Amino acid sequence: MVRLQKLQQDQFDALVSLTYNAGVHGTGNVYSLVDTGRLAETARQIRTMASARVNGQSVVARGLISRRAEESAPFDAAAKSAAMAKK
Amino acid sequence: MSFLPIVGRLAVMTTLSAFVAHTAHAKKPDKDADILGTWTLTKVLDPADIASLTDQQAAALVGTVLIVRRDGVVINGEPCRAPELTRRRHDAAKYVREGYHARVGGLGLPDIVTVIDLDCTEAFFKEREKIVVFWQGYFYDAVRQPQAKR
Protein backbone atom coordinates (compact mmCIF):
# COMPACT_ATOMS: atom_id res chain seq x y z
CA MET A 1 0.00 0.00 0.00
CA VAL A 2 1.25 3.49 -0.83
CA ARG A 3 0.51 5.73 2.15
CA LEU A 4 3.32 8.22 2.49
CA GLN A 5 4.02 9.40 -1.05
CA LYS A 6 1.73 11.54 -3.12
CA LEU A 7 1.43 9.99 -6.57
CA GLN A 8 1.14 11.85 -9.83
CA GLN A 9 -1.79 10.75 -11.97
CA ASP A 10 0.39 8.86 -14.44
CA GLN A 11 2.15 7.04 -11.59
CA PHE A 12 -1.21 6.06 -10.10
CA ASP A 13 -2.41 4.83 -13.49
CA ALA A 14 0.77 2.78 -13.91
CA LEU A 15 0.31 1.11 -10.53
CA VAL A 16 -3.31 0.28 -11.37
CA SER A 17 -2.20 -1.34 -14.63
CA LEU A 18 0.58 -3.28 -12.91
CA THR A 19 -1.65 -4.41 -10.05
CA TYR A 20 -4.39 -5.54 -12.42
CA ASN A 21 -1.82 -7.77 -14.09
CA ALA A 22 0.22 -9.11 -11.15
CA GLY A 23 -2.23 -8.92 -8.25
CA VAL A 24 -2.31 -6.58 -5.28
CA HIS A 25 0.04 -8.71 -3.19
CA GLY A 26 2.16 -9.73 -6.14
CA THR A 27 2.91 -6.01 -6.50
CA GLY A 28 3.70 -5.46 -2.81
CA ASN A 29 7.41 -4.97 -3.30
CA VAL A 30 6.76 -2.20 -5.82
CA TYR A 31 4.42 -0.40 -3.42
CA SER A 32 7.09 -0.55 -0.74
CA LEU A 33 9.68 1.00 -3.07
CA VAL A 34 7.28 3.75 -4.14
CA ASP A 35 6.31 4.53 -0.57
CA THR A 36 9.93 4.96 0.47
CA GLY A 37 10.57 7.32 -2.43
CA ARG A 38 12.95 4.97 -4.23
CA LEU A 39 11.61 5.88 -7.64
CA ALA A 40 14.50 4.73 -9.81
CA GLU A 41 14.44 1.35 -8.06
CA THR A 42 10.67 1.26 -8.54
CA ALA A 43 11.07 1.70 -12.27
CA ARG A 44 13.74 -1.01 -12.42
CA GLN A 45 11.61 -3.40 -10.38
CA ILE A 46 8.58 -2.86 -12.61
CA ARG A 47 10.63 -3.58 -15.71
CA THR A 48 11.76 -6.93 -14.29
CA MET A 49 8.17 -8.15 -13.98
CA ALA A 50 8.03 -9.47 -17.52
CA SER A 51 8.08 -13.24 -17.07
CA ALA A 52 4.87 -15.19 -17.56
CA ARG A 53 3.91 -18.85 -17.39
CA VAL A 54 3.68 -20.51 -20.79
CA ASN A 55 3.11 -24.28 -20.86
CA GLY A 56 4.38 -24.52 -17.29
CA GLN A 57 7.59 -22.63 -18.03
CA SER A 58 8.45 -19.11 -16.96
CA VAL A 59 9.39 -17.16 -20.07
CA VAL A 60 10.00 -13.51 -20.79
CA ALA A 61 6.98 -12.25 -22.72
CA ARG A 62 7.59 -9.57 -25.35
CA GLY A 63 4.16 -8.07 -24.74
CA LEU A 64 4.98 -7.63 -21.09
CA ILE A 65 8.27 -5.90 -21.84
CA SER A 66 6.49 -3.07 -23.65
CA ARG A 67 3.74 -2.91 -21.03
CA ARG A 68 6.31 -2.67 -18.24
CA ALA A 69 8.20 0.03 -20.15
CA GLU A 70 5.04 2.14 -20.18
CA GLU A 71 4.31 1.46 -16.51
CA SER A 72 7.84 2.24 -15.37
CA ALA A 73 8.18 5.44 -17.41
CA PRO A 74 6.42 7.79 -14.93
CA PHE A 75 8.72 6.62 -12.12
CA ASP A 76 11.82 6.95 -14.30
CA ALA A 77 10.78 10.47 -15.23
CA ALA A 78 10.16 11.45 -11.61
CA ALA A 79 13.49 9.97 -10.53
CA LYS A 80 15.30 11.95 -13.25
CA SER A 81 13.48 15.15 -12.28
CA ALA A 82 14.42 14.64 -8.64
CA ALA A 83 18.06 14.07 -9.60
CA MET A 84 18.07 17.24 -11.74
CA ALA A 85 16.54 19.26 -8.92
CA LYS A 86 19.31 18.17 -6.57
CA LYS A 87 22.03 19.50 -8.91
CA MET B 1 6.96 -6.98 66.36
CA SER B 2 9.55 -6.25 63.78
CA PHE B 3 12.94 -7.77 63.14
CA LEU B 4 13.99 -5.10 60.66
CA PRO B 5 14.19 -1.39 61.08
CA ILE B 6 11.93 0.65 58.77
CA VAL B 7 14.75 1.39 56.29
CA GLY B 8 15.58 -2.27 56.03
CA ARG B 9 11.94 -3.20 55.41
CA LEU B 10 11.69 -0.58 52.66
CA ALA B 11 14.80 -1.94 51.01
CA VAL B 12 13.44 -5.50 51.07
CA MET B 13 10.09 -4.40 49.66
CA THR B 14 11.74 -2.43 46.86
CA THR B 15 13.93 -5.38 45.94
CA LEU B 16 10.96 -7.73 45.95
CA SER B 17 8.89 -5.37 43.79
CA ALA B 18 11.69 -5.05 41.26
CA PHE B 19 12.13 -8.82 41.17
CA VAL B 20 8.40 -9.43 40.63
CA ALA B 21 8.24 -6.79 37.89
CA HIS B 22 11.32 -8.22 36.17
CA THR B 23 9.97 -11.77 36.35
CA ALA B 24 6.58 -10.75 34.98
CA HIS B 25 8.26 -8.90 32.10
CA ALA B 26 10.61 -11.77 31.32
CA LYS B 27 7.79 -14.28 31.20
CA LYS B 28 5.58 -12.20 28.92
CA PRO B 29 5.71 -14.02 25.59
CA ASP B 30 6.49 -12.00 22.46
CA LYS B 31 3.42 -12.36 20.28
CA ASP B 32 5.60 -12.18 17.17
CA ALA B 33 8.26 -14.60 18.34
CA ASP B 34 7.05 -17.12 15.77
CA ILE B 35 8.08 -14.86 12.87
CA LEU B 36 10.95 -12.76 14.22
CA GLY B 37 14.34 -14.21 13.42
CA THR B 38 16.40 -15.47 10.52
CA TRP B 39 14.93 -17.79 7.90
CA THR B 40 16.53 -19.64 5.02
CA LEU B 41 14.79 -20.18 1.71
CA THR B 42 14.93 -23.94 1.18
CA LYS B 43 12.82 -24.75 -1.84
CA VAL B 44 11.15 -23.08 -4.82
CA LEU B 45 7.45 -23.86 -4.81
CA ASP B 46 5.27 -22.30 -7.49
CA PRO B 47 5.51 -19.04 -9.41
CA ALA B 48 2.76 -16.50 -9.82
CA ASP B 49 1.46 -15.79 -13.32
CA ILE B 50 3.75 -12.74 -13.47
CA ALA B 51 7.29 -12.96 -12.10
CA SER B 52 10.54 -11.05 -12.15
CA LEU B 53 12.69 -14.14 -12.46
CA THR B 54 13.12 -17.14 -14.69
CA ASP B 55 12.88 -20.61 -13.12
CA GLN B 56 16.68 -20.81 -13.06
CA GLN B 57 17.05 -17.45 -11.36
CA ALA B 58 14.40 -18.42 -8.83
CA ALA B 59 16.22 -21.66 -8.05
CA ALA B 60 19.43 -19.70 -7.47
CA LEU B 61 17.77 -17.92 -4.54
CA VAL B 62 17.45 -21.15 -2.56
CA GLY B 63 19.79 -20.82 0.41
CA THR B 64 19.43 -17.07 0.70
CA VAL B 65 18.26 -15.51 3.92
CA LEU B 66 15.20 -13.64 5.13
CA ILE B 67 15.74 -11.63 8.31
CA VAL B 68 12.64 -10.43 10.16
CA ARG B 69 13.22 -7.83 12.86
CA ARG B 70 10.94 -5.24 14.34
CA ASP B 71 13.02 -2.45 12.81
CA GLY B 72 13.19 -3.92 9.32
CA VAL B 73 13.10 -6.91 7.03
CA VAL B 74 15.93 -7.98 4.75
CA ILE B 75 15.37 -10.51 2.02
CA ASN B 76 18.19 -11.61 -0.25
CA GLY B 77 20.13 -8.55 0.93
CA GLU B 78 17.37 -6.11 -0.01
CA PRO B 79 16.15 -3.94 2.85
CA CYS B 80 12.48 -3.30 3.56
CA ARG B 81 10.92 -0.99 6.12
CA ALA B 82 9.92 -1.91 9.66
CA PRO B 83 7.09 -4.40 9.22
CA GLU B 84 3.74 -3.98 10.94
CA LEU B 85 3.64 -7.76 11.40
CA THR B 86 -0.13 -7.68 11.26
CA ARG B 87 -1.57 -11.14 10.82
CA ARG B 88 -4.82 -12.24 9.32
CA ARG B 89 -6.41 -15.57 8.54
CA HIS B 90 -7.59 -16.20 5.00
CA ASP B 91 -8.94 -18.88 2.74
CA ALA B 92 -5.58 -19.83 1.20
CA ALA B 93 -6.81 -20.67 -2.31
CA LYS B 94 -8.87 -17.51 -2.69
CA TYR B 95 -6.20 -15.26 -1.18
CA VAL B 96 -3.40 -16.59 -3.36
CA ARG B 97 -5.51 -16.58 -6.51
CA GLU B 98 -6.89 -13.06 -6.05
CA GLY B 99 -3.89 -11.37 -4.44
CA TYR B 100 -1.01 -13.04 -6.26
CA HIS B 101 -2.62 -14.40 -9.43
CA ALA B 102 -1.18 -17.79 -8.53
CA ARG B 103 -2.38 -21.30 -7.75
CA VAL B 104 -2.26 -22.59 -4.22
CA GLY B 105 -1.92 -26.26 -5.17
CA GLY B 106 1.84 -26.60 -4.88
CA LEU B 107 2.34 -24.45 -1.80
CA GLY B 108 1.30 -27.01 0.81
CA LEU B 109 -0.63 -24.47 2.85
CA PRO B 110 -3.50 -25.27 5.18
CA ASP B 111 -6.96 -24.40 3.80
CA ILE B 112 -7.20 -21.50 6.24
CA VAL B 113 -3.82 -19.86 6.51
CA THR B 114 -2.35 -17.14 8.71
CA VAL B 115 -0.71 -14.45 6.60
CA ILE B 116 1.71 -11.98 8.14
CA ASP B 117 2.64 -8.62 6.65
CA LEU B 118 6.40 -8.12 6.18
CA ASP B 119 6.03 -4.72 4.44
CA CYS B 120 7.57 -5.61 1.07
CA THR B 121 6.13 -9.10 0.99
CA GLU B 122 4.11 -11.53 3.07
CA ALA B 123 4.75 -14.81 4.85
CA PHE B 124 2.32 -17.68 5.25
CA PHE B 125 2.55 -19.91 8.29
CA LYS B 126 2.84 -23.48 7.06
CA GLU B 127 3.81 -25.41 10.15
CA ARG B 128 5.99 -24.94 13.19
CA GLU B 129 9.24 -23.18 12.21
CA LYS B 130 8.27 -23.30 8.55
CA ILE B 131 6.79 -20.53 6.42
CA VAL B 132 6.07 -19.86 2.78
CA VAL B 133 7.37 -16.53 1.55
CA PHE B 134 6.78 -14.74 -1.75
CA TRP B 135 9.66 -12.99 -3.48
CA GLN B 136 10.02 -11.63 -7.01
CA GLY B 137 7.11 -13.66 -8.30
CA TYR B 138 7.93 -17.02 -6.72
CA PHE B 139 6.79 -18.75 -3.56
CA TYR B 140 9.48 -20.39 -1.44
CA ASP B 141 9.54 -22.66 1.55
CA ALA B 142 11.62 -21.15 4.34
CA VAL B 143 12.77 -22.65 7.62
CA ARG B 144 14.00 -20.87 10.71
CA GLN B 145 17.73 -20.87 11.24
CA PRO B 146 18.64 -22.25 14.64
CA GLN B 147 19.75 -19.50 17.01
CA ALA B 148 23.43 -19.47 17.81
CA LYS B 149 24.18 -20.82 21.27
CA ARG B 150 25.60 -18.25 23.64
Side-chain angles (χ1 to χ4, degrees), chain A residues 1-7 28-42 75, chain B residues 79-82 119-120:
Chain A
M1 196 182 304
V2 178
R3 283 173 288 197
L4 303 177
Q5 300 291 328
K6 189 173 180 183
L7 295 174
N29 188 29
V30 173
Y31 294 164
S32 180
L33 290 170
V34 173
D35 216 18
T36 49
R38 294 149 71 184
L39 299 179
E41 285 177 69
T42 300
F75 297 99
Chain B
C80 308
R81 292 175 298 184
D119 180 57
C120 56

Side-chain angles (χ1 to χ4, degrees), chain A residues 35-52:
Chain A
D35 216 18
T36 49
R38 294 149 71 184
L39 299 179
E41 285 177 69
T42 300
R44 278 197 296 275
Q45 175 63 32
I46 291 172
R47 282 194 295 273
T48 65
M49 297 171 68
S51 292

Side-chain angles (χ1 to χ4, degrees), chain A residues 56-79:
Chain A
Q57 292 285 313
S58 184
V59 295
V60 175
R62 283 168 54 187
L64 285 180
I65 292 174
S66 54
R67 179 172 177 163
R68 297 294 173 252
E70 289 182 33
E71 291 161 348
S72 63
F75 297 99
D76 259 336

Side-chain angles (χ1 to χ4, degrees), chain B:
Chain B
M1 192 170 80
S2 172
F3 297 108
L4 291 170
I6 186 78
V7 175
R9 270 186 281 169
L10 277 173
V12 169
M13 285 170 65
T14 305
T15 307
L16 274 175
S17 302
F19 176 75
V20 169
H22 174 77
T23 307
H25 180 73
K27 284 186 176 174
K28 188 179 177 185
D30 187 332
K31 67 179 179 61
D32 296 317
D34 53 358
I35 187 67
L36 293 170
T38 303
W39 303 79
T40 304
L41 308 191
T42 56
K43 184 183 177 188
V44 182
L45 300 171
D46 277 347
D49 286 348
I50 303 297
S52 296
L53 309 174
T54 63
D55 291 342
Q56 292 76 17
Q57 290 170 324
L61 290 187
V62 169
T64 58
V65 166
L66 162 71
I67 301 168
V68 182
R69 293 194 314 243
R70 290 208 180 277
D71 61 351
V73 170
V74 179
I75 181 163
N76 190 32
E78 294 189 35
C80 308
R81 292 175 298 184
E84 293 186 1
L85 299 178
T86 50
R87 50 185 78 203
R88 292 192 173 87
R89 287 170 65 76
H90 293 281
D91 177 311
K94 185 172 187 281
Y95 190 79
V96 168
R97 184 178 65 248
E98 292 181 354
Y100 289 92
H101 295 184
R103 287 151 296 279
V104 79
L107 305 186
L109 295 173
D111 291 345
I112 303 296
V113 67
T114 299
V115 184
I116 189 157
D117 175 26
L118 301 180
D119 180 57
C120 56
T121 189
E122 292 181 316
F124 302 75
F125 283 109
K126 192 167 190 176
E127 54 194 72
R128 186 176 164 77
E129 307 291 284
K130 197 168 185 180
I131 58 174
V132 170
V133 64
F134 181 82
W135 189 242
Q136 302 289 3
Y138 281 76
F139 292 91
Y140 295 85
D141 267 340
V143 296
R144 184 189 293 280
Q145 280 186 3
Q147 291 185 341
K149 288 180 182 174
R150 293 177 184 173

